[in-house]
Amino acid sequence: MSKVEPKVEKILEVEQVKKHFHVGRGQLVQAVDNVSFEVYKGETLGLVGESGCGKSTIGRTIIRLYDATDGDIRFKGKTTKDLKGKNLKQFNREMQMIFQDPYASLNPRMTVGDIIAEGLDIHELAKGKARQEKVVELLKTVGLNEEHADRFPHEFSGGQRQRIGIARALAVDPEFIIADEPISALDVSIQAQVVNLMKKLQREKGLTYLFIAHDLSMVKYISDRVGVMYLGNMVELADSQELYDNPLHPYTEALLSAVPIPDPDTEKRRERIILKGDVPSPIDPPSGCRFRTRCPKAMDICAKEVPTWQEVRPLHWVSCHLYQEESLKKEEGMK
Amino acid sequence: MDRNNVLEVKDLHVSFHTYNGEVQAVRGVSFEEKKGETVAVVGESGCGKSVTSQSIMRLIPQPPGVFKHGEILFEGNDLTKLPEKQMEGIRGKDIAMIFQDPMTSLNPTMTIGKQIMEGLVKHRKLGRAEAKEKALEMLRLVGIPSPGSRIDQYPHQFSGGMRQRAMIAIALACAPKLLIADEPTTALDVTIQAQILDLMNDLKEKMDTSIILITHDLGVVAETADRVVVMYAGKVVETGTVEEIFNRPRHPYTWGLMGSMPRMDLSRDTELTPILGAPPNLLSPPKGCPFASRCPHAMKVCKEQMPETTDASGTQRVACWLEHPMAPSVEIPHDLVGGASK
């Protein structure tokens, strides 16, 4: 199939990244295994998957909260693996993170003003009056006001705290923000407020987002492209509308069909694919394709060979034997 | 009490006494549950939906909780006034509950089998062998593979979805007339959620149980409920059949809820319209309509006086001043992301 070269600049390249954790007794959790993708400047890439699929681990590895076990991550063309000292500090400015739990991710003993200005202090970006002004400006950007600077996190609601978390991330003028489940802890009516704020900031500041979430409807709404993960592997990656209209991987299909749609008429007409069983343990993942134990379309080859990550349609990547001619031929041979 | 109703909640008021004063968590909630029906109670955190369900089970610790007013009628008895001894005979037998968090609501020191048998021995007076037989049957019914060996395992040996299945087995073991499911799938992944919802719908048919489903997820509501009760700040703002609530919602809060949710089956160009602001503090609830401060259609009267609940159709009831004959007519926002857009 012909390759369409996107005319946009790659800001982040993740290549064959692995992250394994030792969990004692010589056991190894393969949290992320051979994941490759790219993020273009100014876009939102959504990462979805169920708990334990490795979506948060990949986010944390990218921002170097974890060191990758293997593989390479390049930010603006440069590998992030051996960043040290000044370069690492610069990298930390350019990439920021918004966390899931707005209750646990703000220091309860610091005022909101100090929380937001911590980045400014570390990077020595503003002092005295300029620092104060910057804090006020940030508070206003995220829809809070000046008086909030002297208060403590416990005085705020979940939605407001998440705004504080966003203001903190914005303080150092980052280019790339990793948002790890930024809205899952919030109520429905508040979720929309925060997502709209994130979209507005992206338009105004040209930010690039890696948006990690398990809520597929929200991910579709905010993302330009969406990657689907399962048990440490990326199984499919495509433009968000394309992915939702033409899911190729059987897991994506099942995942999309499992999301209930808030409309009783649609719900009644819909045929759903219900997956059997649970996600296997990442300590001892199934051989071949990791999804095969729950896959309604599994073939013999799926247990024997790991499917390759291929672009089967322009800009639509999938890792499944069903879409690989060679695999289908081998499958014929097995019968 | 209407003969077709399993449960009637009438003007229920529940408060909690705290250091900061009295939190009026539930402020006049009324709804009824017909036989074999699934009623979904929806609303955001702090709207009183869980307090309502726990009041039905009488799980509200008193103090600090107080039933201030109203009644909960179940088979002719007012559950708010029943002596604890009698309540114990109802709890787990006639009314059972499934909790949100399957990790913390099972007893970690008891085998799954023992936990299912507990109710059977107490309420149905079964002998141990019979109870074990029944427990095995329940595990099979909720779709746990190899129940013979699973019955002697402990909760930590089960995955999240399996624990929720086990909890359903415990709740349904005594064939209750009413099952209260408080956010039964919120802690689960979507593919597991689909399994559990499927199972609940299936069991409802088989066992003819009435279900009260507490949730904040409108998708889950659309999939499982027959009727919907929308709560806000301790009050019921709208009730109706699931079709009415999704296709012809009448309360601005319901519009707001629908407008805040992205829909996977629609294009991503549809803008979300969040509800601005935050819910009121129930330590000192506003005297008028609690939604007035966030409502784009609020009028003067809304801030002064709580609207009456009026009938919009035989089944749909709304508490909103816009229903008043003298109110200006407001169209349902046509750009609603929810089902109302059609």
Side-chain angles (χ1 to χ4, degrees), chain A residues 253-298:
Chain A
E253 261 184 288
L255 197 63
L256 292 177
S257 120
V259 180
I261 289 172
D263 179 355
D265 305 333
T266 317
E267 257 327 308
K268 268 177 205 139
R269 272 180 278 125
R270 216 155 64 104
E271 279 280 332
R272 318 180 75 197
I273 307 166
I274 299 209
L275 288 181
K276 294 207 172 65
D278 289 308
V279 183
S281 158
I283 291 177
D284 183 20
S287 64
C289 170
R290 291 187 174 185
F291 182 57
R292 69 173 168 87
T293 51
R294 299 172 80 198
C295 182
K297 297 177 182 168

Side-chain angles (χ1 to χ4, degrees), chain B residues 59-211:
Chain B
L59 292 176
I60 303 282
Q62 305 181 55
V66 209
F67 289 109
K68 293 195 70 180
H69 186 74
E71 43 190 17
I72 300 170
L73 296 175
F74 177 77
E75 298 192 314
N77 291 321
D78 180 0
L79 298 184
T80 61
K81 299 199 178 64
L82 221 56
E84 180 57 30
K85 206 80 218 145
Q86 257 178 288
M87 196 62 215
E88 274 172 20
I90 292 177
R91 205 185 281 138
K93 179 171 171 253
D94 296 321
I95 308 179
M97 192 154 177
I98 307 172
F99 298 88
Q100 168 170 1
D101 190 351
M103 313 289 166
T104 54
S105 36
L106 292 171
N107 185 339
T109 67
M110 268 168 95
T111 62
I112 295 289
K114 280 227 171 86
Q115 297 188 53
I116 302 177
M117 286 154 63
E118 211 182 8
L120 291 165
V121 171
K122 183 171 165 29
H123 295 300
R124 296 272 176 247
K125 311 275 182 268
L126 296 185
R128 287 196 54 83
E130 274 177 300
K132 185 154 188 184
E133 200 48 49
K134 178 81 184 165
L136 268 174
E137 189 192 317
M138 288 312 298
L139 284 177
R140 214 167 288 134
L141 191 69
V142 296
I144 287 185
S146 51
S149 57
R150 287 292 189 174
I151 194 165
D152 293 321
Q153 288 188 338
Y154 290 88
H156 74 266
Q157 291 165 296
F158 280 46
S159 69
M162 293 240 279
R163 278 179 218 171
Q164 201 58 297
R165 283 173 192 269
M167 192 139 71
I168 294 175
I170 295 170
L172 292 180
C174 291
K177 297 184 179 97
L178 178 65
L179 176 69
I180 302 172
D182 190 352
E183 306 263 10
T185 57
T186 308
L188 306 175
D189 278 315
V190 272
T191 60
I192 308 297
Q193 164 171 293
Q195 291 175 358
I196 297 293
L197 291 178
D198 212 41
L199 173 71
M200 281 179 55
N201 281 342
D202 191 39
L203 291 179
K204 185 186 131 194
E205 307 263 298
K206 270 190 205 152
M207 309 191 67
D208 197 27
T209 312
S210 312
I211 299 178

Side-chain angles (χ1 to χ4, degrees), chain B residues 265-287:
Chain B
D265 55 337
L266 297 182
S267 118
R268 61 185 285 252
D269 304 327
T270 27
E271 271 292 312
L272 290 187
T273 36
I275 309 176
L276 300 176
N281 187 342
L282 294 180
L283 271 169
S284 52
K287 66 176 171 179

Side-chain angles (χ1 to χ4, degrees), chain A residues 86-118:
Chain A
K86 231 166 102 188
N87 295 335
L88 180 61
K89 208 167 163 186
Q90 179 61 26
F91 169 75
N92 288 340
R93 242 192 93 178
E94 290 168 351
M95 194 183 281
Q96 282 286 313
M97 192 151 182
I98 304 170
F99 296 91
Q100 169 170 11
D101 187 347
Y103 292 85
S105 56
L106 301 178
N107 186 339
R109 297 168 63 165
M110 280 167 80
T111 63
V112 165
D114 286 338
I115 290 173
I116 294 174
E118 203 177 5

